[in-house]
């Protein structure tokens, strides 16, 4: 257990430093890159704030694949499940499995967006398909 | 000229060299003695330069031009004289493009090939473009103008295309699938969503279409000039090829080019209806199923491209913070793909 500031608090400190002390000194392409850097910090911050994301996704994928969650850390387990799922979807030929996979994939995509870009999933392109509405 | 191992020249030295080179090439190509001034760099990409400048004849009035050039000889996608030829072909057919005055491959002027065109007034920076369009209420008109521009471009006999334009090896659809399959295998980590998309694209591949046309390949906000009347010019023809016309229409309509104006399918400008109506009025044929397939393909392709940028960063081939963050934009494209592929 580390002392405070916590990792998230340190990132906040770095963001404030970039925004309030470095930002006003910059011009040109560095302004854009610093905005990217601040976005990077907020992504990492949100990722660190949700410690249950990996085990949660591993459980969803294991259920879809009808397999136990592999041994090892949540990251290792999830990588193994992801590889299996990707391989199976790439092979295809099982319409029922594809249909069952879609909502699981969508749940994972939405969770990723909650870290990467909150609100991005407020728009649904399904209405643009031939035949229209979702 | 700055080559490998040499200290990069300063911005001032580069501008002075460019000015001298432009004055010399005006003399050589147009037999005109001009003074070049007021250089403005509009895109400082790693590869190509686009610089606006004024050329003034003795006792004459200055006129604004644009030079597109490569600082060295070795990084051309499409040879610049052929790109210039494509501008002229498109202009003759009524596609809004800057008028080209001359093109040369001679590296003595600015270090690499160049072409000089009219400087078209207007805005090109995406978010500023969309603010301007909102203020002036030109969004629907631009959607229609894009449809007309595509109709004009696609009406050109593709056998007239400059010889260096890429042509399909098999069909545009098969070529695209082979390329994405390759990129899918090269991902740093497997993506179940991309695997799902690849499979869907293969099982829903459209049959051969109405035929091949010249395809611009990258018409989107950022590659167009927008003025008070709307679409003033289509720029950046360096990825043009011979291909499926619906690929062109679909690329313009990807969500990733709407810059937050998500409900305006055509580039964040306006809805699909005026775009398609203008395309068909100009002689184009719109096939909604094929259009949808190419939208899925384009979304997938851009997602793979972003993943590739992250890989280039991580492998040290082209490292910077923007390329790193591209890897964390892949999730946006995955979500868009799933939305488009909702069962």
């Amino acid at each position: 257990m580390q002392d405070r500031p916590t990792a998230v608090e340190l990132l906040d400190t770095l963001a404030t430093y970039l925004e309030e002390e470095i930002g006003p000194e910059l011009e040109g392409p560095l302004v854009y890159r610093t905005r990217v850097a601040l976005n990077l910090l907020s992504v990492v911050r949100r990722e660190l704030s949700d410690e249950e994301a990996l085990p949660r996704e591993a459980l969803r994928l294991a259920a879809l694949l009808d397999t136990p969650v592999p041994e090892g850390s949540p990251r290792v387990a999830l990588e193994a499940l992801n590889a299996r799922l990707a391989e199976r979807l790439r092979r295809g030929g099982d319409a029922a499995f594809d249909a069952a996979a879609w909502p699981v994939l969508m749940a994972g995509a939405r969770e990723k967006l909650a870290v990467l870009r909150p609100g991005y999933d407020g728009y649904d392109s399904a209405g643009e398909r031939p035949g229209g509405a979702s | 000229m700055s080559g490998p191992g040499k200290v990069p020249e300063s911005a001032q030295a580069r501008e002075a060299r460019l000015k001298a080179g432009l004055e010399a090439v005006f003399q050589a190509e147009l037999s005109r003695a001009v003074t070049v001034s007021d250089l403005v760099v509009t895109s400082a990409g790693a590869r190509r330069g686009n610089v606006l400048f004024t050329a003034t004849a003795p006792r004459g009035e200055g006129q604004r031009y644009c030079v597109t050039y490569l600082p060295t000889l070795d990084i051309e996608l499409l040879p610049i004289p052929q790109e210039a030829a494509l501008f002229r072909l498109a202009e003759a057919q009524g596609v809004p493009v800057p008028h080209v005055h001359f093109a040369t491959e001679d590296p003595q002027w600015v270090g690499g090939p160049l072409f000089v065109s009219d400087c078209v007034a207007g805005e090109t920076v995406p978010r500023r473009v969309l603010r301007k369009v909102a203020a002036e209420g030109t969004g629907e008109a631009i959607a229609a103008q894009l449809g007309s521009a595509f109709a004009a471009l696609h009406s050109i006999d593709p056998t007239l295309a400059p010889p260096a334009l890429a042509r399909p090896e098999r069909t545009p659809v098969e070529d695209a699938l082979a390329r994405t399959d390759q990129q899918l295998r090269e991902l740093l980590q497997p993506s179940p969503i991309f695997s799902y998309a690849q499979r869907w694209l293969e099982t829903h591949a459209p049959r051969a279409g109405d035929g091949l046309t010249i395809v611009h390949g990258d018409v989107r906000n950022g590659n167009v000039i927008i003025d008070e009347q709307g679409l003033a010019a289509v720029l950046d023809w360096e990825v043009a090829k011979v291909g499926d016309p619906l690929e062109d229409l679909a690329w313009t309509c990807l969500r990733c080019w709407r810059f937050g104006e998500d409900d305006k399918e055509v580039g964040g400008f306006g809805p699909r209806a005026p775009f398609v109506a203008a395309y068909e009025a100009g002689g184009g044929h719109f096939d909604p199923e094929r259009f949808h397939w190419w939208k899925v393909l384009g979304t997938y392709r851009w997602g793979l491209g972003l993943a590739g940028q992250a890989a280039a960063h991580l492998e040290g081939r082209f490292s910077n913070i923007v390329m790193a963050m591209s890897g964390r934009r892949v999730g946006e494209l995955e979500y868009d793909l799933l939305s488009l592929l909702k069962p």
Side-chain angles (χ1 to χ4, degrees):
Chain A
M1 186 84 182
Q2 298 290 349
D3 301 310
R4 288 184 69 187
T6 63
V8 167
E9 286 165 345
L10 285 173
L11 290 176
D12 287 345
T13 306
L14 180 52
T16 303
Y17 169 70
L18 282 175
E19 213 163 358
E20 295 181 3
E21 296 186 46
I22 299 291
E25 304 293 322
L26 302 176
E27 49 185 88
L30 291 179
V31 174
Y32 173 67
R33 291 195 175 195
T34 304
R35 206 179 314 137
V36 175
L38 283 166
N39 182 40
L40 180 157
L41 287 175
S42 63
V43 167
V44 176
R45 189 192 192 289
R46 287 189 292 265
E47 186 166 330
L48 289 178
S49 304
D50 186 2
E51 290 173 353
E52 296 309 308
L54 292 183
R56 209 163 48 230
E57 189 169 4
L59 281 176
R60 275 198 309 265
L61 297 195
L64 173 65
L65 290 163
D66 196 20
T67 181
V69 176
E71 301 276 325
S73 71
R75 178 169 298 278
V76 169
L78 191 51
E79 278 173 357
L81 290 164
N82 246 334
R84 278 183 60 179
L85 179 56
E87 192 275 329
R88 185 149 172 195
L89 291 169
R90 178 70 189 88
R91 189 161 17 102
D94 183 346
F97 182 78
D98 284 356
W102 189 90
V104 175
L105 295 175
M106 188 50 122
R110 284 186 191 276
E111 283 201 359
K112 272 170 83 167
L113 287 174
V115 167
L116 302 176
R117 199 161 163 193
Y120 189 86
D121 56 351
Y123 179 78
D124 183 353
S125 308
E128 299 170 17
R129 295 171 306 168
S134 48
Chain B
M1 213 189 297
S2 72
K6 293 187 185 163
V7 178
E9 62 182 342
S10 73
Q12 252 180 339
R14 191 163 56 238
E15 184 173 317
R17 188 170 53 80
L18 195 54
K19 173 175 146 56
L22 287 169
E23 288 172 353
V25 76
F26 262 70
Q27 185 65 54
E29 292 287 333
L30 302 177
S31 304
R32 285 179 54 196
V34 296
T35 305
V36 166
S37 61
D38 303 300
L39 281 76
V40 177
V41 177
T42 61
S43 67
R47 299 183 338 91
R48 279 154 68 102
N50 280 299
V51 176
L52 309 179
F53 62 95
T54 300
T56 312
R59 293 177 304 279
E61 252 180 58
Q63 196 183 335
R64 289 297 270 172
Y65 293 93
C66 175
V67 60
T68 300
Y69 71 102
L70 293 169
T72 64
L73 266 174
D74 60 0
I75 46 178
E76 265 181 311
L77 290 177
L78 175 64
I80 278 215
Q82 299 210 24
E83 187 177 346
L86 189 53
F87 269 67
R88 292 188 171 123
L89 197 57
E91 183 183 11
Q93 202 63 37
V95 182
V97 290
H99 177 73
V100 173
H101 293 280
F102 60 87
T104 171
E105 268 186 311
D106 191 338
Q108 70 166 303
W109 314 114
V110 295
L114 69 96
F115 70 86
V116 168
S117 59
D118 278 342
C119 168
V120 177
E123 187 56 72
T124 59
V125 178
R127 288 184 189 281
R128 277 194 244 150
V129 163
L130 289 182
R131 277 200 295 274
K132 180 179 172 67
V133 166
E136 291 165 356
T138 48
E140 289 215 11
I142 292 170
Q145 288 161 345
L146 285 166
S148 300
F150 276 130
L153 175 64
H154 298 162
S155 74
I156 298 171
D157 175 357
T159 63
L160 300 177
L165 241 58
R167 280 151 171 90
E169 283 178 29
R170 284 158 289 179
T171 67
V173 165
E174 286 176 89
D175 285 2
L177 286 173
R179 175 87 184 108
T180 53
D181 184 47
Q182 181 64 32
Q183 289 174 292
L184 181 66
R185 292 164 199 272
E186 290 167 357
L187 286 176
L188 295 183
Q189 61 203 76
S191 162
I193 295 174
F194 286 170
S195 301
Y196 184 89
Q198 177 77 30
R199 178 69 188 171
W200 184 92
L201 285 160
E202 287 171 0
T203 52
H204 293 76
R207 271 189 269 271
D210 296 338
L212 301 175
T213 67
I214 296 177
V215 167
H216 177 288
D218 199 13
V219 176
R220 58 176 176 81
N221 193 351
N223 284 342
V224 291
I225 300 178
I226 300 295
D227 67 12
E228 294 67 30
Q229 277 74 50
L231 180 66
V234 179
L235 305 174
D236 289 306
W237 291 69
E238 59 175 340
V239 297
K241 61 189 175 185
V242 175
D244 185 329
L246 270 298
E247 178 179 355
D248 240 357
L249 304 188
W251 186 255
T252 303
C253 294
L254 300 187
R255 187 184 174 194
C256 49
W257 312 135
R258 296 179 204 164
F259 298 92
E261 298 292 322
D262 291 323
D263 56 346
K264 300 186 179 93
E265 188 182 13
V266 184
F269 296 114
R272 188 192 297 185
F275 175 67
V276 170
Y279 186 66
E280 295 198 313
H285 173 62
F286 183 79
D287 173 341
E289 298 283 347
R290 206 176 178 81
F291 173 75
H292 176 63
W293 190 90
W294 278 111
K295 267 176 82 178
V296 174
L297 188 284
T299 304
Y300 175 37
R301 176 187 275 164
W302 186 233
L304 290 166
L306 289 168
Q309 290 183 5
H313 167 78
L314 292 168
E315 289 162 2
R317 285 178 279 125
F318 192 87
S319 288
N320 69 48
I321 194 168
V322 177
M323 299 286 272
M325 281 307 283
S326 291
R328 293 304 192 98
R329 291 196 47 216
V330 172
E332 297 171 19
L333 283 297
E334 288 184 335
Y335 169 79
D336 289 335
L337 263 177
L338 284 174
S339 302
L340 289 169
L341 296 179
K342 194 170 186 174

